[in-house]
């Protein structure tokens, strides 16, 4: 899943996304450590040299399609699997939510590290990335709602419940974005008289931090998931 290995741009290949979908589906089918597995796989998919909102949209779509298919497999086996499927879908969605929050956290840390070294990323990249981040929670909520709408039966009910709960009670990514966007606003507004433009790009710095979070070198987002 790691695009840096193939030197590709921000756009994940179809094979990468199909692989992600299959791994998520398998995680639901196995039913163990679902939240942690979805969180890890999603961060792994985000660990690219360059990633934008379009790339994130594809990743979120692939994750939720895998969640949908894995849950459907469970529900088809026996009607008494409904409660187990609900628990695992809830965990999977929470894992995706915290992975997106991890992406927002990594962006914030990258900007803070540069500022700590009296450097800053280009205003163009900061502005573009801030714009992408501003749409990240809505991307998550909209895709979750679309998945619920396209699903059928019990799974549709489960996903609609999660979608409503997320909108009404907030998300981990939404909570993290408040801090991240405040940091970006400060950096964009900085006069820069004491700062030199960083040689690295924000996307590379963010990807590096995401890799550290995914591998456990850095702790990720605190568990803000909804039960």
């Amino acid at each position: 899943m790691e695009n840096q290995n193939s030197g590709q741009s921000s756009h994940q290949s179809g094979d990468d996304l199909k692989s992600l979908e299959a791994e998520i589906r398998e995680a639901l089918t196995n039913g163990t450590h679902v939240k942690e597995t979805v969180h890890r796989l999603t961060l792994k998919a985000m660990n690219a040299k360059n990633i934008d909102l379009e790339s994130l949209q594809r990743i979120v779509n692939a994750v939720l399609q895998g969640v949908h298919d894995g849950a459907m497999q469970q529900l088809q086996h026996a009607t008494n699997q409904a409660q187990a499927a609900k628990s695992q879908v809830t965990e999977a969605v929470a894992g995706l939510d915290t992975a997106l929050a991890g992406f927002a956290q990594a962006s914030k840390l990258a900007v803070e590290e540069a500022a700590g070294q009296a450097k800053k990323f280009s205003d163009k990249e900061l502005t573009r990335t801030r714009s992408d981040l501003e749409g990240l929670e809505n991307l998550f909520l909209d895709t979750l709602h679309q998945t619920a709408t396209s699903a059928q039966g019990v799974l549709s009910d489960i996903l609609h419940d999660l979608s409503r709960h997320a909108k009404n009670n907030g998300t981990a990514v939404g909570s993290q974005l408040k801090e991240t966007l405040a940091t970006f606003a400060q950096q964009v507004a900085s006069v820069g008289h004491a700062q030199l433009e960083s040689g690295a790009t924000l996307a590379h710095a963010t990807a590096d931090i995401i890799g550290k979070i995914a591998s456990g070198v850095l702790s990720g987002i605190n568990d803000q998931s909804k039960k």
Side-chain angles (χ1 to χ4, degrees):
M1 277 307 306
E2 294 170 354
N3 287 351
Q4 68 269 34
N5 291 342
S6 59
Q8 292 178 0
S9 69
S10 62
H11 301 296
Q12 291 75 24
S13 74
D15 287 345
D16 283 341
L17 293 171
K18 285 296 181 185
S19 176
L20 173 62
E21 207 174 290
E23 288 178 294
I24 297 292
R25 183 173 64 246
E26 184 179 346
L28 268 288
T29 303
N30 290 340
T32 56
H33 307 296
V34 174
K35 179 180 176 181
E36 294 82 357
T37 302
V38 172
H39 178 88
R40 175 178 54 80
L41 290 172
T42 305
L43 283 175
K44 183 181 174 186
M46 292 175 182
N47 187 16
K49 291 182 186 297
N50 295 287
I51 194 160
D52 54 20
L53 200 61
E54 187 178 343
S55 303
L56 290 169
Q57 174 74 72
R58 281 199 272 267
I59 290 170
V60 171
N61 279 336
V63 170
L64 287 175
Q65 186 62 48
V67 170
H68 171 278
D69 294 348
M72 282 303 295
Q73 285 182 11
Q74 272 202 327
L75 290 167
Q76 286 167 0
H77 289 150
T79 54
N80 62 5
Q81 287 288 84
Q83 192 56 43
K86 179 176 181 180
S87 174
Q88 288 166 19
V89 171
T90 301
E91 284 196 27
V93 171
L96 173 58
D97 185 12
T98 56
L100 292 170
F103 177 80
Q105 181 192 39
S107 300
K108 172 178 176 283
L109 292 173
V111 169
E112 288 177 338
E113 284 184 6
Q117 298 168 7
K119 295 178 181 179
K120 67 180 295 184
F121 298 105
S122 72
D123 288 341
K124 180 179 178 181
E125 190 179 20
L126 283 168
T127 301
R128 186 186 69 243
T129 304
R130 182 172 69 168
S131 177
D132 283 350
L133 287 168
E134 285 172 343
L136 190 55
E137 185 181 30
N138 282 338
L139 183 158
F140 171 57
L141 293 172
D142 290 347
T143 310
L144 179 58
H145 178 73
Q146 289 164 12
T147 305
T149 301
S150 64
Q152 296 180 341
V154 174
L155 181 56
S156 178
D157 294 340
I158 293 169
L159 288 167
H160 273 301
D161 284 346
L162 289 172
S163 177
R164 282 191 294 269
H165 190 91
K167 285 186 178 181
N168 293 335
N169 296 277
T171 62
V173 64
S175 178
Q176 176 60 42
L177 280 171
K178 292 175 184 177
E179 296 179 21
T180 298
L181 292 172
T183 296
F184 268 70
Q186 292 170 358
Q187 188 74 340
V188 170
S190 67
V191 178
H193 58 272
Q195 294 176 308
L196 299 172
E197 191 161 305
S198 174
T201 67
L202 174 55
H204 285 172
T206 300
D208 182 57
I209 293 172
I210 289 173
K212 291 176 181 177
I213 293 174
S215 65
V217 175
L218 285 177
S219 61
I221 295 299
N222 291 332
D223 186 358
Q224 303 174 45
S225 62
K226 290 76 52 194
K227 300 297 183 185

